[in-house]
Amino acid sequence: AAEPPVDENWTLLQENERYLAVAKPGQLPVHPSGRFFKHTLWYLLRRKYGELHIVNRLDRETSGITIAAKDSGAAAILSSLFAGRESTKKYIAFVFGAFPETLTADGFLSDDRKSEVRKKRRFTERALYGSESARTMFRLLGTDGTVSAVEAVPETGRLHQIRATLCSLGYPMVGDKLYGPDDAIFLRYIASEMTEEDRKKLLLDRQALHASELSFVCPFTKRKILFKAPLPDDLSGLYCRCTGAII
């Protein structure tokens, strides 16, 4: 069966003997899964560089920095580094609503039992059955009163951490079918029944989340590394709308 179309325009940020850093577009899966095999970042990189190990996984619709190790030893070392607090990850998210200047979300993530979507998670200030601790620091970059550009710095690495936390705080993500303004859109999406009204409500055809910065001390050279990935074109307009900046 033909695989669904994807955006294959990834960009190389840096390459060395042990790993490479790339900026992945939105609408490109990282690993083979479901209907996707050749239409994945893993496969596209493998065609050019040979066997690789993806270290930090981003959701299919999330754009930004991804690290791929060139050998299993480097993959193990980098995976351990990124799993802890030895690295700093910064994201730019676009949400509905006027976000506060700063906000620290220190609480827990668990399954959202009130949602019809079984995979959806929720953020709460107190621990619930089966919950995981989650902490994210948010900073407002700009807002027009209805949409806000927000910097998110997660101190833990939980599934859907930024998206679920923002949604639970009352700031659903632009373009997000699951954690956007109406999670019923997700049910229509998987049934191929999304309406034009759904698309207008979301503002964007993918979740507006971008992994913009990644910093760490390289375990191989012991030097401080900082990778930056500029906003892709589909998010630049939202950034200008929220901040008034021209990029």
Side-chain angles (χ1 to χ4, degrees), residues 7-42:
D7 183 351
E8 298 185 0
N9 295 307
W10 59 272
T11 303
L12 179 67
L13 300 176
Q14 188 183 100
E15 179 185 3
N16 59 42
E17 294 180 355
R18 304 301 301 275
Y19 64 88
L20 52 93
V22 302
K24 128 180 159 54
Q27 304 293 16
L28 177 64
V30 172
H31 291 100
S33 178
R35 297 178 296 165
F36 298 94
F37 183 78
K38 292 184 177 180
H39 289 184
T40 62
L41 179 65
W42 171 83

PDB file of all heavy atoms in Angstrom, residues 7-42:
ATOM      1  N   ASP A   7       6.351  15.582   4.482  1.00  0.00           N
ATOM      2  CA  ASP A   7       7.296  16.633   4.127  1.00  0.00           C
ATOM      3  C   ASP A   7       8.702  16.089   4.359  1.00  0.00           C
ATOM      4  O   ASP A   7       9.100  15.856   5.496  1.00  0.00           O
ATOM      5  CB  ASP A   7       7.034  17.869   4.998  1.00  0.00           C
ATOM      6  CG  ASP A   7       7.939  19.048   4.645  1.00  0.00           C
ATOM      7  OD1 ASP A   7       8.881  18.863   3.847  1.00  0.00           O
ATOM      8  OD2 ASP A   7       7.716  20.144   5.185  1.00  0.00           O
ATOM      9  N   GLU A   8       9.452  15.879   3.295  1.00  0.00           N
ATOM     10  CA  GLU A   8      10.782  15.267   3.405  1.00  0.00           C
ATOM     11  C   GLU A   8      11.913  16.289   3.518  1.00  0.00           C
ATOM     12  O   GLU A   8      13.084  15.933   3.439  1.00  0.00           O
ATOM     13  CB  GLU A   8      11.032  14.368   2.197  1.00  0.00           C
ATOM     14  CG  GLU A   8      10.051  13.214   2.078  1.00  0.00           C
ATOM     15  CD  GLU A   8      10.398  12.268   0.943  1.00  0.00           C
ATOM     16  OE1 GLU A   8      11.408  12.511   0.248  1.00  0.00           O
ATOM     17  OE2 GLU A   8       9.667  11.279   0.748  1.00  0.00           O
ATOM     18  N   ASN A   9      11.604  17.561   3.714  1.00  0.00           N
ATOM     19  CA  ASN A   9      12.621  18.613   3.676  1.00  0.00           C
ATOM     20  C   ASN A   9      13.300  18.819   5.027  1.00  0.00           C
ATOM     21  O   ASN A   9      13.125  19.854   5.676  1.00  0.00           O
ATOM     22  CB  ASN A   9      11.984  19.921   3.192  1.00  0.00           C
ATOM     23  CG  ASN A   9      11.490  19.822   1.768  1.00  0.00           C
ATOM     24  OD1 ASN A   9      12.242  19.442   0.874  1.00  0.00           O
ATOM     25  ND2 ASN A   9      10.220  20.131   1.561  1.00  0.00           N
ATOM     26  N   TRP A  10      14.069  17.825   5.458  1.00  0.00           N
ATOM     27  CA  TRP A  10      14.864  17.978   6.668  1.00  0.00           C
ATOM     28  C   TRP A  10      16.146  18.756   6.353  1.00  0.00           C
ATOM     29  O   TRP A  10      16.588  18.826   5.206  1.00  0.00           O
ATOM     30  CB  TRP A  10      15.209  16.608   7.263  1.00  0.00           C
ATOM     31  CG  TRP A  10      15.970  15.702   6.338  1.00  0.00           C
ATOM     32  CD1 TRP A  10      15.452  14.831   5.433  1.00  0.00           C
ATOM     33  CD2 TRP A  10      17.393  15.611   6.206  1.00  0.00           C
ATOM     34  NE1 TRP A  10      16.458  14.184   4.736  1.00  0.00           N
ATOM     35  CE2 TRP A  10      17.660  14.648   5.198  1.00  0.00           C
ATOM     36  CE3 TRP A  10      18.474  16.231   6.846  1.00  0.00           C
ATOM     37  CZ2 TRP A  10      18.954  14.308   4.828  1.00  0.00           C
ATOM     38  CZ3 TRP A  10      19.761  15.888   6.466  1.00  0.00           C
ATOM     39  CH2 TRP A  10      19.994  14.935   5.473  1.00  0.00           C
ATOM     40  N   THR A  11      16.759  19.347   7.390  1.00  0.00           N
ATOM     41  CA  THR A  11      17.954  20.172   7.213  1.00  0.00           C
ATOM     42  C   THR A  11      19.055  19.704   8.155  1.00  0.00           C
ATOM     43  O   THR A  11      18.806  19.509   9.351  1.00  0.00           O
ATOM     44  CB  THR A  11      17.647  21.659   7.511  1.00  0.00           C
ATOM     45  OG1 THR A  11      16.588  22.092   6.660  1.00  0.00           O
ATOM     46  CG2 THR A  11      18.872  22.522   7.284  1.00  0.00           C
ATOM     47  N   LEU A  12      20.258  19.524   7.653  1.00  0.00           N
ATOM     48  CA  LEU A  12      21.395  19.150   8.492  1.00  0.00           C
ATOM     49  C   LEU A  12      21.894  20.371   9.255  1.00  0.00           C
ATOM     50  O   LEU A  12      22.194  21.409   8.672  1.00  0.00           O
ATOM     51  CB  LEU A  12      22.529  18.576   7.635  1.00  0.00           C
ATOM     52  CG  LEU A  12      23.792  18.162   8.393  1.00  0.00           C
ATOM     53  CD1 LEU A  12      23.506  16.974   9.305  1.00  0.00           C
ATOM     54  CD2 LEU A  12      24.922  17.828   7.415  1.00  0.00           C
ATOM     55  N   LEU A  13      21.988  20.247  10.587  1.00  0.00           N
ATOM     56  CA  LEU A  13      22.516  21.322  11.426  1.00  0.00           C
ATOM     57  C   LEU A  13      24.001  21.127  11.721  1.00  0.00           C
ATOM     58  O   LEU A  13      24.774  22.077  11.707  1.00  0.00           O
ATOM     59  CB  LEU A  13      21.735  21.393  12.748  1.00  0.00           C
ATOM     60  CG  LEU A  13      20.232  21.671  12.634  1.00  0.00           C
ATOM     61  CD1 LEU A  13      19.589  21.616  14.017  1.00  0.00           C
ATOM     62  CD2 LEU A  13      19.986  23.029  11.977  1.00  0.00           C
ATOM     63  N   GLN A  14      24.389  19.884  11.991  1.00  0.00           N
ATOM     64  CA  GLN A  14      25.798  19.593  12.271  1.00  0.00           C
ATOM     65  C   GLN A  14      26.029  18.089  12.170  1.00  0.00           C
ATOM     66  O   GLN A  14      25.144  17.287  12.481  1.00  0.00           O
ATOM     67  CB  GLN A  14      26.209  20.079  13.660  1.00  0.00           C
ATOM     68  CG  GLN A  14      27.712  19.963  13.923  1.00  0.00           C
ATOM     69  CD  GLN A  14      28.083  20.387  15.330  1.00  0.00           C
ATOM     70  OE1 GLN A  14      28.274  19.569  16.215  1.00  0.00           O
ATOM     71  NE2 GLN A  14      28.162  21.702  15.543  1.00  0.00           N
ATOM     72  N   GLU A  15      27.240  17.714  11.743  1.00  0.00           N
ATOM     73  CA  GLU A  15      27.626  16.310  11.691  1.00  0.00           C
ATOM     74  C   GLU A  15      29.024  16.151  12.250  1.00  0.00           C
ATOM     75  O   GLU A  15      29.918  16.968  11.991  1.00  0.00           O
ATOM     76  CB  GLU A  15      27.599  15.793  10.252  1.00  0.00           C
ATOM     77  CG  GLU A  15      28.018  14.330  10.131  1.00  0.00           C
ATOM     78  CD  GLU A  15      28.117  13.853   8.686  1.00  0.00           C
ATOM     79  OE1 GLU A  15      27.915  14.683   7.768  1.00  0.00           O
ATOM     80  OE2 GLU A  15      28.417  12.658   8.474  1.00  0.00           O
ATOM     81  N   ASN A  16      29.231  15.114  13.067  1.00  0.00           N
ATOM     82  CA  ASN A  16      30.570  14.758  13.521  1.00  0.00           C
ATOM     83  C   ASN A  16      30.719  13.245  13.468  1.00  0.00           C
ATOM     84  O   ASN A  16      29.872  12.556  12.897  1.00  0.00           O
ATOM     85  CB  ASN A  16      30.860  15.322  14.920  1.00  0.00           C
ATOM     86  CG  ASN A  16      29.876  14.827  15.967  1.00  0.00           C
ATOM     87  OD1 ASN A  16      29.513  13.646  16.002  1.00  0.00           O
ATOM     88  ND2 ASN A  16      29.430  15.732  16.827  1.00  0.00           N
ATOM     89  N   GLU A  17      31.775  12.716  14.055  1.00  0.00           N
ATOM     90  CA  GLU A  17      32.062  11.286  13.926  1.00  0.00           C
ATOM     91  C   GLU A  17      31.059  10.394  14.643  1.00  0.00           C
ATOM     92  O   GLU A  17      30.867   9.239  14.270  1.00  0.00           O
ATOM     93  CB  GLU A  17      33.470  10.991  14.454  1.00  0.00           C
ATOM     94  CG  GLU A  17      34.590  11.612  13.625  1.00  0.00           C
ATOM     95  CD  GLU A  17      35.958  11.287  14.182  1.00  0.00           C
ATOM     96  OE1 GLU A  17      36.019  10.658  15.268  1.00  0.00           O
ATOM     97  OE2 GLU A  17      36.959  11.636  13.535  1.00  0.00           O
ATOM     98  N   ARG A  18      30.379  10.918  15.690  1.00  0.00           N
ATOM     99  CA  ARG A  18      29.507  10.076  16.502  1.00  0.00           C
ATOM    100  C   ARG A  18      28.012  10.293  16.272  1.00  0.00           C
ATOM    101  O   ARG A  18      27.220   9.387  16.517  1.00  0.00           O
ATOM    102  CB  ARG A  18      29.820  10.279  17.998  1.00  0.00           C
ATOM    103  CG  ARG A  18      31.276  10.036  18.386  1.00  0.00           C
ATOM    104  CD  ARG A  18      31.761   8.625  18.060  1.00  0.00           C
ATOM    105  NE  ARG A  18      31.021   7.557  18.697  1.00  0.00           N
ATOM    106  CZ  ARG A  18      31.249   7.089  19.929  1.00  0.00           C
ATOM    107  NH1 ARG A  18      32.210   7.633  20.669  1.00  0.00           N
ATOM    108  NH2 ARG A  18      30.539   6.094  20.419  1.00  0.00           N
ATOM    109  N   TYR A  19      27.631  11.493  15.847  1.00  0.00           N
ATOM    110  CA  TYR A  19      26.199  11.762  15.677  1.00  0.00           C
ATOM    111  C   TYR A  19      25.993  12.926  14.714  1.00  0.00           C
ATOM    112  O   TYR A  19      26.939  13.622  14.329  1.00  0.00           O
ATOM    113  CB  TYR A  19      25.539  12.076  17.027  1.00  0.00           C
ATOM    114  CG  TYR A  19      26.045  13.330  17.696  1.00  0.00           C
ATOM    115  CD1 TYR A  19      25.475  14.579  17.425  1.00  0.00           C
ATOM    116  CD2 TYR A  19      27.105  13.281  18.601  1.00  0.00           C
ATOM    117  CE1 TYR A  19      25.945  15.729  18.037  1.00  0.00           C
ATOM    118  CE2 TYR A  19      27.577  14.424  19.219  1.00  0.00           C
ATOM    119  CZ  TYR A  19      26.996  15.642  18.935  1.00  0.00           C
ATOM    120  OH  TYR A  19      27.477  16.781  19.529  1.00  0.00           O
ATOM    121  N   LEU A  20      24.760  13.117  14.336  1.00  0.00           N
ATOM    122  CA  LEU A  20      24.407  14.284  13.540  1.00  0.00           C
ATOM    123  C   LEU A  20      23.117  14.890  14.096  1.00  0.00           C
ATOM    124  O   LEU A  20      22.296  14.202  14.696  1.00  0.00           O
ATOM    125  CB  LEU A  20      24.265  13.935  12.059  1.00  0.00           C
ATOM    126  CG  LEU A  20      23.370  12.785  11.640  1.00  0.00           C
ATOM    127  CD1 LEU A  20      21.973  13.287  11.312  1.00  0.00           C
ATOM    128  CD2 LEU A  20      23.949  12.075  10.432  1.00  0.00           C
ATOM    129  N   ALA A  21      22.994  16.195  13.910  1.00  0.00           N
ATOM    130  CA  ALA A  21      21.808  16.927  14.355  1.00  0.00           C
ATOM    131  C   ALA A  21      21.093  17.457  13.125  1.00  0.00           C
ATOM    132  O   ALA A  21      21.728  18.035  12.238  1.00  0.00           O
ATOM    133  CB  ALA A  21      22.200  18.071  15.282  1.00  0.00           C
ATOM    134  N   VAL A  22      19.792  17.249  13.076  1.00  0.00           N
ATOM    135  CA  VAL A  22      19.006  17.728  11.945  1.00  0.00           C
ATOM    136  C   VAL A  22      17.783  18.481  12.458  1.00  0.00           C
ATOM    137  O   VAL A  22      17.350  18.298  13.598  1.00  0.00           O
ATOM    138  CB  VAL A  22      18.548  16.560  11.027  1.00  0.00           C
ATOM    139  CG1 VAL A  22      19.736  15.788  10.518  1.00  0.00           C
ATOM    140  CG2 VAL A  22      17.572  15.645  11.752  1.00  0.00           C
ATOM    141  N   ALA A  23      17.256  19.344  11.602  1.00  0.00           N
ATOM    142  CA  ALA A  23      15.978  20.000  11.870  1.00  0.00           C
ATOM    143  C   ALA A  23      14.932  19.302  11.020  1.00  0.00           C
ATOM    144  O   ALA A  23      15.020  19.312   9.791  1.00  0.00           O
ATOM    145  CB  ALA A  23      16.051  21.485  11.534  1.00  0.00           C
ATOM    146  N   LYS A  24      13.990  18.668  11.669  1.00  0.00           N
ATOM    147  CA  LYS A  24      12.951  17.935  10.944  1.00  0.00           C
ATOM    148  C   LYS A  24      11.733  18.828  10.736  1.00  0.00           C
ATOM    149  O   LYS A  24      11.395  19.641  11.593  1.00  0.00           O
ATOM    150  CB  LYS A  24      12.616  16.674  11.732  1.00  0.00           C
ATOM    151  CG  LYS A  24      11.186  16.447  12.036  1.00  0.00           C
ATOM    152  CD  LYS A  24      10.909  15.198  12.803  1.00  0.00           C
ATOM    153  CE  LYS A  24       9.569  15.276  13.520  1.00  0.00           C
ATOM    154  NZ  LYS A  24       8.422  15.596  12.666  1.00  0.00           N
ATOM    155  N   PRO A  25      11.068  18.689   9.600  1.00  0.00           N
ATOM    156  CA  PRO A  25       9.843  19.456   9.378  1.00  0.00           C
ATOM    157  C   PRO A  25       8.674  18.845  10.141  1.00  0.00           C
ATOM    158  O   PRO A  25       8.747  17.712  10.626  1.00  0.00           O
ATOM    159  CB  PRO A  25       9.622  19.331   7.862  1.00  0.00           C
ATOM    160  CG  PRO A  25      10.224  18.003   7.529  1.00  0.00           C
ATOM    161  CD  PRO A  25      11.405  17.842   8.451  1.00  0.00           C
ATOM    162  N   GLY A  26       7.578  19.586  10.263  1.00  0.00           N
ATOM    163  CA  GLY A  26       6.344  18.985  10.742  1.00  0.00           C
ATOM    164  C   GLY A  26       5.839  18.050   9.656  1.00  0.00           C
ATOM    165  O   GLY A  26       6.280  18.105   8.501  1.00  0.00           O
ATOM    166  N   GLN A  27       4.927  17.178  10.025  1.00  0.00           N
ATOM    167  CA  GLN A  27       4.348  16.213   9.081  1.00  0.00           C
ATOM    168  C   GLN A  27       5.377  15.218   8.553  1.00  0.00           C
ATOM    169  O   GLN A  27       5.345  14.826   7.386  1.00  0.00           O
ATOM    170  CB  GLN A  27       3.671  16.933   7.902  1.00  0.00           C
ATOM    171  CG  GLN A  27       2.613  17.940   8.292  1.00  0.00           C
ATOM    172  CD  GLN A  27       1.371  17.315   8.924  1.00  0.00           C
ATOM    173  OE1 GLN A  27       1.391  16.168   9.342  1.00  0.00           O
ATOM    174  NE2 GLN A  27       0.300  18.078   9.011  1.00  0.00           N
ATOM    175  N   LEU A  28       6.340  14.822   9.413  1.00  0.00           N
ATOM    176  CA  LEU A  28       7.289  13.766   9.046  1.00  0.00           C
ATOM    177  C   LEU A  28       7.514  12.877  10.268  1.00  0.00           C
ATOM    178  O   LEU A  28       8.082  13.324  11.263  1.00  0.00           O
ATOM    179  CB  LEU A  28       8.622  14.361   8.584  1.00  0.00           C
ATOM    180  CG  LEU A  28       9.721  13.339   8.252  1.00  0.00           C
ATOM    181  CD1 LEU A  28       9.307  12.463   7.062  1.00  0.00           C
ATOM    182  CD2 LEU A  28      11.051  14.048   7.961  1.00  0.00           C
ATOM    183  N   PRO A  29       7.078  11.611  10.216  1.00  0.00           N
ATOM    184  CA  PRO A  29       7.332  10.701  11.343  1.00  0.00           C
ATOM    185  C   PRO A  29       8.829  10.487  11.531  1.00  0.00           C
ATOM    186  O   PRO A  29       9.600  10.517  10.568  1.00  0.00           O
ATOM    187  CB  PRO A  29       6.639   9.398  10.909  1.00  0.00           C
ATOM    188  CG  PRO A  29       5.686   9.797   9.831  1.00  0.00           C
ATOM    189  CD  PRO A  29       6.318  10.966   9.140  1.00  0.00           C
ATOM    190  N   VAL A  30       9.236  10.249  12.763  1.00  0.00           N
ATOM    191  CA  VAL A  30      10.649   9.992  13.046  1.00  0.00           C
ATOM    192  C   VAL A  30      10.980   8.523  12.800  1.00  0.00           C
ATOM    193  O   VAL A  30      11.932   8.207  12.098  1.00  0.00           O
ATOM    194  CB  VAL A  30      10.992  10.387  14.497  1.00  0.00           C
ATOM    195  CG1 VAL A  30      12.410   9.943  14.852  1.00  0.00           C
ATOM    196  CG2 VAL A  30      10.872  11.897  14.677  1.00  0.00           C
ATOM    197  N   HIS A  31      10.194   7.620  13.387  1.00  0.00           N
ATOM    198  CA  HIS A  31      10.447   6.183  13.265  1.00  0.00           C
ATOM    199  C   HIS A  31       9.373   5.502  12.425  1.00  0.00           C
ATOM    200  O   HIS A  31       8.238   5.982  12.352  1.00  0.00           O
ATOM    201  CB  HIS A  31      10.450   5.523  14.656  1.00  0.00           C
ATOM    202  CG  HIS A  31      11.608   5.894  15.508  1.00  0.00           C
ATOM    203  ND1 HIS A  31      11.520   6.842  16.497  1.00  0.00           N
ATOM    204  CD2 HIS A  31      12.877   5.452  15.520  1.00  0.00           C
ATOM    205  CE1 HIS A  31      12.694   6.954  17.096  1.00  0.00           C
ATOM    206  NE2 HIS A  31      13.537   6.127  16.521  1.00  0.00           N
ATOM    207  N   PRO A  32       9.696   4.359  11.817  1.00  0.00           N
ATOM    208  CA  PRO A  32       8.665   3.566  11.143  1.00  0.00           C
ATOM    209  C   PRO A  32       7.590   3.129  12.129  1.00  0.00           C
ATOM    210  O   PRO A  32       7.887   2.662  13.232  1.00  0.00           O
ATOM    211  CB  PRO A  32       9.443   2.353  10.614  1.00  0.00           C
ATOM    212  CG  PRO A  32      10.854   2.843  10.460  1.00  0.00           C
ATOM    213  CD  PRO A  32      11.052   3.793  11.608  1.00  0.00           C
ATOM    214  N   SER A  33       6.338   3.312  11.735  1.00  0.00           N
ATOM    215  CA  SER A  33       5.213   2.925  12.577  1.00  0.00           C
ATOM    216  C   SER A  33       3.945   2.975  11.748  1.00  0.00           C
ATOM    217  O   SER A  33       3.783   3.870  10.910  1.00  0.00           O
ATOM    218  CB  SER A  33       5.089   3.861  13.786  1.00  0.00           C
ATOM    219  OG  SER A  33       3.970   3.521  14.583  1.00  0.00           O
ATOM    220  N   GLY A  34       3.061   2.032  11.980  1.00  0.00           N
ATOM    221  CA  GLY A  34       1.789   2.032  11.275  1.00  0.00           C
ATOM    222  C   GLY A  34       1.979   1.990   9.767  1.00  0.00           C
ATOM    223  O   GLY A  34       2.615   1.100   9.216  1.00  0.00           O
ATOM    224  N   ARG A  35       1.441   3.002   9.089  1.00  0.00           N
ATOM    225  CA  ARG A  35       1.493   3.047   7.620  1.00  0.00           C
ATOM    226  C   ARG A  35       2.805   3.630   7.096  1.00  0.00           C
ATOM    227  O   ARG A  35       3.010   3.700   5.888  1.00  0.00           O
ATOM    228  CB  ARG A  35       0.329   3.886   7.092  1.00  0.00           C
ATOM    229  CG  ARG A  35      -1.048   3.304   7.409  1.00  0.00           C
ATOM    230  CD  ARG A  35      -2.151   4.220   6.906  1.00  0.00           C
ATOM    231  NE  ARG A  35      -2.132   5.506   7.593  1.00  0.00           N
ATOM    232  CZ  ARG A  35      -2.780   6.590   7.174  1.00  0.00           C
ATOM    233  NH1 ARG A  35      -3.490   6.540   6.051  1.00  0.00           N
ATOM    234  NH2 ARG A  35      -2.727   7.708   7.859  1.00  0.00           N
ATOM    235  N   PHE A  36       3.695   4.062   7.994  1.00  0.00           N
ATOM    236  CA  PHE A  36       4.907   4.757   7.576  1.00  0.00           C
ATOM    237  C   PHE A  36       6.145   3.878   7.736  1.00  0.00           C
ATOM    238  O   PHE A  36       6.384   3.316   8.797  1.00  0.00           O
ATOM    239  CB  PHE A  36       5.095   6.040   8.398  1.00  0.00           C
ATOM    240  CG  PHE A  36       3.998   7.043   8.226  1.00  0.00           C
ATOM    241  CD1 PHE A  36       2.920   7.071   9.099  1.00  0.00           C
ATOM    242  CD2 PHE A  36       4.035   7.967   7.192  1.00  0.00           C
ATOM    243  CE1 PHE A  36       1.905   7.998   8.941  1.00  0.00           C
ATOM    244  CE2 PHE A  36       3.025   8.901   7.028  1.00  0.00           C
ATOM    245  CZ  PHE A  36       1.948   8.908   7.900  1.00  0.00           C
ATOM    246  N   PHE A  37       6.928   3.777   6.680  1.00  0.00           N
ATOM    247  CA  PHE A  37       8.248   3.128   6.737  1.00  0.00           C
ATOM    248  C   PHE A  37       9.274   3.961   5.979  1.00  0.00           C
ATOM    249  O   PHE A  37      10.160   4.563   6.572  1.00  0.00           O
ATOM    250  CB  PHE A  37       8.198   1.700   6.189  1.00  0.00           C
ATOM    251  CG  PHE A  37       9.517   1.000   6.310  1.00  0.00           C
ATOM    252  CD1 PHE A  37       9.928   0.480   7.523  1.00  0.00           C
ATOM    253  CD2 PHE A  37      10.379   0.898   5.224  1.00  0.00           C
ATOM    254  CE1 PHE A  37      11.167  -0.149   7.659  1.00  0.00           C
ATOM    255  CE2 PHE A  37      11.613   0.265   5.339  1.00  0.00           C
ATOM    256  CZ  PHE A  37      12.010  -0.248   6.556  1.00  0.00           C
ATOM    257  N   LYS A  38       9.133   4.016   4.658  1.00  0.00           N
ATOM    258  CA  LYS A  38      10.056   4.825   3.868  1.00  0.00           C
ATOM    259  C   LYS A  38       9.828   6.319   4.074  1.00  0.00           C
ATOM    260  O   LYS A  38      10.752   7.115   3.943  1.00  0.00           O
ATOM    261  CB  LYS A  38       9.935   4.471   2.389  1.00  0.00           C
ATOM    262  CG  LYS A  38      10.430   3.076   2.032  1.00  0.00           C
ATOM    263  CD  LYS A  38      10.363   2.828   0.536  1.00  0.00           C
ATOM    264  CE  LYS A  38      10.935   1.465   0.185  1.00  0.00           C
ATOM    265  NZ  LYS A  38      10.877   1.205  -1.268  1.00  0.00           N
ATOM    266  N   HIS A  39       8.607   6.688   4.396  1.00  0.00           N
ATOM    267  CA  HIS A  39       8.287   8.090   4.629  1.00  0.00           C
ATOM    268  C   HIS A  39       8.511   8.448   6.099  1.00  0.00           C
ATOM    269  O   HIS A  39       7.609   8.889   6.812  1.00  0.00           O
ATOM    270  CB  HIS A  39       6.839   8.373   4.223  1.00  0.00           C
ATOM    271  CG  HIS A  39       6.625   8.344   2.752  1.00  0.00           C
ATOM    272  ND1 HIS A  39       5.423   8.642   2.150  1.00  0.00           N
ATOM    273  CD2 HIS A  39       7.479   8.055   1.719  1.00  0.00           C
ATOM    274  CE1 HIS A  39       5.536   8.531   0.841  1.00  0.00           C
ATOM    275  NE2 HIS A  39       6.784   8.168   0.558  1.00  0.00           N
ATOM    276  N   THR A  40       9.749   8.243   6.555  1.00  0.00           N
ATOM    277  CA  THR A  40      10.142   8.575   7.929  1.00  0.00           C
ATOM    278  C   THR A  40      11.519   9.227   7.907  1.00  0.00           C
ATOM    279  O   THR A  40      12.305   9.016   6.979  1.00  0.00           O
ATOM    280  CB  THR A  40      10.208   7.320   8.819  1.00  0.00           C
ATOM    281  OG1 THR A  40      11.214   6.429   8.310  1.00  0.00           O
ATOM    282  CG2 THR A  40       8.861   6.600   8.870  1.00  0.00           C
ATOM    283  N   LEU A  41      11.811  10.002   8.946  1.00  0.00           N
ATOM    284  CA  LEU A  41      13.132  10.624   9.049  1.00  0.00           C
ATOM    285  C   LEU A  41      14.214   9.557   9.126  1.00  0.00           C
ATOM    286  O   LEU A  41      15.279   9.690   8.509  1.00  0.00           O
ATOM    287  CB  LEU A  41      13.177  11.532  10.282  1.00  0.00           C
ATOM    288  CG  LEU A  41      14.508  12.243  10.535  1.00  0.00           C
ATOM    289  CD1 LEU A  41      14.830  13.234   9.424  1.00  0.00           C
ATOM    290  CD2 LEU A  41      14.492  12.955  11.899  1.00  0.00           C
ATOM    291  N   TRP A  42      13.966   8.498   9.887  1.00  0.00           N
ATOM    292  CA  TRP A  42      14.940   7.409  10.018  1.00  0.00           C
ATOM    293  C   TRP A  42      15.339   6.859   8.657  1.00  0.00           C
ATOM    294  O   TRP A  42      16.522   6.691   8.360  1.00  0.00           O
ATOM    295  CB  TRP A  42      14.342   6.309  10.892  1.00  0.00           C
ATOM    296  CG  TRP A  42      15.150   5.042  10.921  1.00  0.00           C
ATOM    297  CD1 TRP A  42      16.238   4.773  11.695  1.00  0.00           C
ATOM    298  CD2 TRP A  42      14.924   3.873  10.119  1.00  0.00           C
ATOM    299  NE1 TRP A  42      16.715   3.508  11.425  1.00  0.00           N
ATOM    300  CE2 TRP A  42      15.921   2.936  10.469  1.00  0.00           C
ATOM    301  CE3 TRP A  42      13.982   3.529   9.156  1.00  0.00           C
ATOM    302  CZ2 TRP A  42      15.995   1.676   9.881  1.00  0.00           C
ATOM    303  CZ3 TRP A  42      14.046   2.279   8.557  1.00  0.00           C
ATOM    304  CH2 TRP A  42      15.047   1.365   8.934  1.00  0.00           C
TER     305      TRP A  42
END
